[in-house]
Amino acid sequence: MDKKRVYTFGNGQAEGKAGMKNLLGGKGANLAEMNLIGIPVPPGFTITTDVCTEYNELGREKVVQLLQKEVITAIESVEFLMKSKFGDVETPLLVSVRSGARASMPGMMDTILNLGLNDEVVEGLIRKTGNARFAWDSYRRFVQMYGDVVLGMKPTNKDDIDPFEAIIEEVKHAKGVKLDNELKVEDLKELVQKFKKTVKVKTGKDFPTNAYEQLWGAICAVFNSWTNERAILYRKMEGIPYEWGTAVNVQAMVFGNMGDSSATGVCFSRDAGTGEDLFNGEYLINAQGEDVVAGIRTPQQITKIGSQRWAELAGVSEEERVAKFPSMEEIMPEIYQELDELQTKLENHYKDMQDMEFTVQEGKLWFLQTRNGKRTGAAMVKIAMDLFRQGVIDEKTALMRVEPNKLDELLHPIFDKEALTQAKVLTRGLPASPGAATGQIVFFADDASEWAAAKKAVIMVRIETSPEDLAGMAVAEGILTARGGMTSHAAVVARGMGKCCVSGAGALRIDYKARTVEIDGVLLKEGDYISLNGSTGEVYLGEVETKEAELSDDFAELMKLADKYTRLQVRTNADTPHDAMVARNFGAVGIGLCRTEHMFFEGEKIKAMREMILAENIEERRIALAKILPYQQEDFKGIFKAMEGLPVTVRLLDPPLHEFVPHDLKGQEEMAEAMGVSLKYIQERVESLCEHNPMLGHRGCRLGNTYPEITEMQTRAILGAALALKKEGVVTHPEIMVPLTGILREYKEQDNVIRAEAAKLFAEVGDSIDFTVGTMIEIPRAALTADRIASAAEFFSFGTNDLTQMTFGYSRDDVASFLPIYLEKKILEVDPFQVLDQKGVGQLIQMATEKGRAIRPELKCGICGEHGGEPSSVKFCHRVGLNYVSCSPFRVPIARLSAAQAALED
Ligand code: ADP
Ligand code: MG
Ligand code: MG
């Protein structure tokens, strides 16, 4: 038998099911599943994602031929269930043609509604329904969508307006009406005629009247849309492979635009912004499909409580609310109840928060889509923990449900309360996606990208957003729209990105041409500062100060759960007591990397450091080092104290010395005077420190081996600090780390210096402290000879930044010149400086760990590069049996959760 390309669903039966997302796409698989569990869904069929691949390989003609028989048979079964006929004048079947990839790509692919209409069918539809307004409204929508999507009439340039929208505006203006739904039957008829004329002028062809011709056009357009620009951009952002393809869903139409007992809406089983366990959503009476999402009319709330909350934010009185903006719960109570029951049923079935689309046709409820809803990081944590407590999922599932990277959002700053009281509120919109954002106003995605590239913080201000704006939204600090509700494109996408968003701020008067926005009499230009509170919907004038986030109890509980399963420990990279405290509060159990170079920069210290470097001989160097010692000791005391009772790995001086000396004339003159030498001498010394390739030059333990007195001083400062704290009753666990080891011998030399100095110090003070000495493994040779190095070193810390640099031979400082091209061409899948290269660099880590432990079984191994906070890299570290990862303070929770997930995945 030939392979099956079409899967039907309808009337409680389906050939597919939820588990078939790869083949049927998310939408198609769930439409099938909903049928199977007794949710009312209009019948239809799904053309598989495989066919999309065939389409891209074989082309349109061949694929239409391959599909012909199956599609016609499937249409016939829909006709049977709907008691109507596709293309028939008296009992016409109309269908929608919808895309649906494996992963949800909201708004990425275009949907066509009301397909099957023409000049005769529309008359038949009127005779059948007795509703001329509905029939013509459906027809004009169809011609417009088909023209835009299938016939390619949608403008690609942001400054051009949609030809159909232009006609609508023109007709509305001529009739003196403001809203689309104020147009009369005659006006709608006129629109259709004008639309078709435009189609003829722009494409040179008549609008297709044959239903099957329309259908094939639409199916192929969905396949084409897989390769349109915005789909490509979305895939890139979300890491969705091109090969997956999209399915096509063809489904009998149900109509939300049949009058006042009809409606359409979008709803969520829980709050996607906060995670609150509260059914919510928006609907529009007498409207169709995209109207709610597109923000053409601002929709109303489905639940009474949602409606009341909205009214409070919008400053609408209860009286006015009931009269003008009633909830669905209040005006369609029976339908509401059914909707509420079915949303609960769906959530229980899928065991996760659902994002659903529905339509009410003359008092009958239909579901058109369900999927696991996108949500903010905060909502992700709350929903996972609530579902766990409610017994819907177990604790392991709860842990696996939270995307580690999403925790990042929770840790972001919020507005400082004090600063807020001083700030001027310009207006309020809907709290569409929580968070705090401050930035400069831009109106277009291109500008957002440009400004952001120039390191400016921008807020994107739009009447409403559409998928064309994605690139701009991705780089903006926040998004503010004049129209659209909580389920508008802006709101949904912003929540998915974890971006602050205020939508539907009706007071905004945006003038795209002038690049200005007027808010209640205040005129703001592009580049002016505003601030948004996505949790309350408030819009502030100017910049508002932010402060650190407050973490929820759910977050704490999630972290506790994580610790229950984790084997891999999480430490932090911290150079100051403040950073150490932040990380400790996030659950770090030590410092894996404390860099010491910053300790040489402030005030007097840099002078002493420069004296040391520029000194003519060892005696002078010692004098300068003696000046630095007390400062360093104080710095270490602060850090050790912040990390009381926990291990702290201190790395000895690592960067090339030229980074410390003055390269400007003024600084050089200063040093000459301070040291009582000639300017020429200073300049020569500075010159002599310059290297062709400093990354591979005089740095790391090469410094300590050429100037052992530096190592001596640092050892004394570290252990001196620990001894001083011991007197105060503070327990410390110093670990001294030698950087950039490549040869056993060079490590041993340093080890000797450290231990000798320690012995000397202990004898002087008459007290001692336990400490260990180990090394960074960041040169491939060190990894290759790890067994030899482990004979002397007590611990390994993989410096994956340098190890990546030296394994690939990519200079980290110069990689920007070719890395983007490599990523573009897929020569590299990801940036190896962000995501650990498991095949190459990872192999060195694994091998060095094994070799090291063969000699010294108790060898402690960890990593301390940027990768220590990247989920896939953390999971790798777990698998190869490292003891810990060390990452920047704000990545600690992410690493902890990743470590737990790695343990669960075992
Ligand atoms: P998207 O993936 O962009 O959400 P959809 O295919 O879900 O696109 O459809 C867009 C809109 O049209 C949605 O509001 C959906 O509910 C509505 N819709 C799709 N098919 C039908 C149909 N057969 N009857 C009524 N409304 C439909
Ligand atoms: Mg949809
Ligand atoms: Mg290094």
Side-chain angles (χ1 to χ4, degrees), residues 74 76 93 139 233 235 316 346 361 387 425 435 467 608 625 660 712 727 776 848 875 892:
E76 282 167 0
L93 168 68
Y139 194 15
L233 177 68
R235 280 203 296 275
V316 170
L346 280 171
Q361 176 178 331
L387 286 172
V425 178
L625 281 167
F660 297 94
E712 282 167 9
K727 270 210 188 118
M776 293 191 74
K875 291 181 179 180
V892 167

Side-chain angles (χ1 to χ4, degrees), residues 244-512:
W244 284 6
T246 179
V248 184
N249 301 289
V250 178
Q251 191 175 21
M253 282 303 301
V254 289
F255 301 99
N257 57 338
M258 272 193 160
D260 288 345
S261 61
S262 300
T264 186
V266 178
C267 56
F268 298 88
S269 62
R270 290 170 196 245
D271 191 310
T274 64
E276 188 182 1
D277 185 5
L278 195 66
F279 175 46
N280 66 95
E282 294 173 328
Y283 77 109
L284 277 172
I285 295 278
N286 197 12
Q288 212 178 15
E290 297 288 60
D291 294 1
V292 175
V293 181
I296 291 167
R297 279 192 267 155
T298 297
Q300 286 157 234
Q301 295 295 313
I302 289 176
T303 63
K304 187 171 167 195
I305 177 159
S307 175
Q308 284 170 333
R309 284 186 185 182
W310 167 84
E312 205 182 310
L313 284 174
V316 170
S317 72
E318 177 66 4
E319 220 173 19
E320 191 186 352
R321 182 191 74 77
V322 174
K324 286 202 210 144
F325 313 102
S327 67
M328 189 173 180
E329 185 173 0
E330 290 159 296
I331 59 164
M332 294 182 166
E334 282 108 60
I335 296 281
Y336 170 78
Q337 207 189 336
E338 189 186 352
L339 181 67
D340 192 16
E341 274 161 27
L342 293 180
Q343 68 87 12
T344 308
K345 180 171 179 172
L346 280 171
E347 186 184 272
N348 288 337
H349 182 71
Y350 285 99
K351 299 182 191 302
D352 198 1
M353 187 260 275
Q354 294 299 294
D355 166 355
M356 298 153 285
E357 290 170 5
F358 66 90
T359 283
V360 179
Q361 176 178 331
E362 299 191 299
K364 162 110 181 83
L365 174 66
W366 297 91
F367 273 71
L368 288 153
Q369 192 171 337
T370 194
R371 58 180 174 223
N372 296 339
K374 288 194 188 303
R375 62 203 76 176
T376 62
M380 181 171 282
V381 171
K382 177 155 173 55
I383 290 172
M385 292 311 292
D386 279 348
L387 286 172
F388 162 54
R389 280 187 293 255
Q390 291 161 357
V392 181
I393 56 176
D394 61 19
E395 62 185 32
K396 291 182 184 173
T397 311
L399 278 171
M400 296 305 289
R401 276 282 170 82
V402 181
E403 279 170 52
N405 273 330
K406 275 260 191 186
L407 294 180
D408 199 28
E409 292 166 28
L410 298 182
L411 313 174
H412 281 326
I414 53 173
F415 283 127
D416 181 66
K417 284 219 178 68
E418 192 57 29
L420 268 191
T421 58
Q422 310 295 317
K424 178 181 159 55
V425 178
L426 283 172
T427 186
R428 261 169 211 257
L430 297 170
S433 182
T438 290
Q440 292 175 275
I441 295 173
V442 292
F443 296 99
F444 298 103
D446 302 359
D447 300 324
S449 305
E450 247 171 60
W451 291 38
K455 295 271 182 283
K456 290 184 192 168
V458 298
I459 305 270
M460 224 173 131
V461 179
R462 302 280 308 163
I463 296 174
E464 63 212 67
T465 65
S466 69
E468 282 78 11
D469 298 320
L470 269 178
M473 296 168 78
V475 296
E477 300 296 313
I479 297 136
L480 172 64
T481 69
R483 280 195 251 163
M486 298 287 286
T487 54
S488 64
H489 178 267
V492 172
V493 172
R495 283 196 296 268
M497 291 177 172
K499 252 203 189 146
C500 164
C501 174
V502 173
S503 70
L508 266 57
R509 297 279 166 273
I510 298 172
D511 183 340
Y512 286 138

Side-chain angles (χ1 to χ4, degrees), residues 35-96:
N35 258 289
L36 295 175
I37 63 169
I39 305 279
V41 173
F45 57 90
T46 305
I47 303 172
T48 66
T49 53
D50 273 358
V51 181
C52 186
T53 309
E54 286 180 322
Y55 183 90
N56 290 329
E57 279 165 10
L58 308 174
R60 175 181 181 131
E61 221 168 298
K62 182 86 185 109
V63 163
V64 170
Q65 198 189 323
L66 282 172
L67 281 172
Q68 196 82 10
K69 243 178 80 192
E70 275 182 278
V71 165
I72 290 174
T73 313
I75 285 278
E76 282 167 0
S77 69
V78 177
E79 289 175 338
F80 174 76
L81 290 173
M82 296 299 287
K83 301 189 184 61
S84 58
K85 223 168 154 39
F86 193 49
D88 189 57
V89 173
E90 289 315 315
T91 52
L93 168 68
L94 303 187
V95 296
S96 66

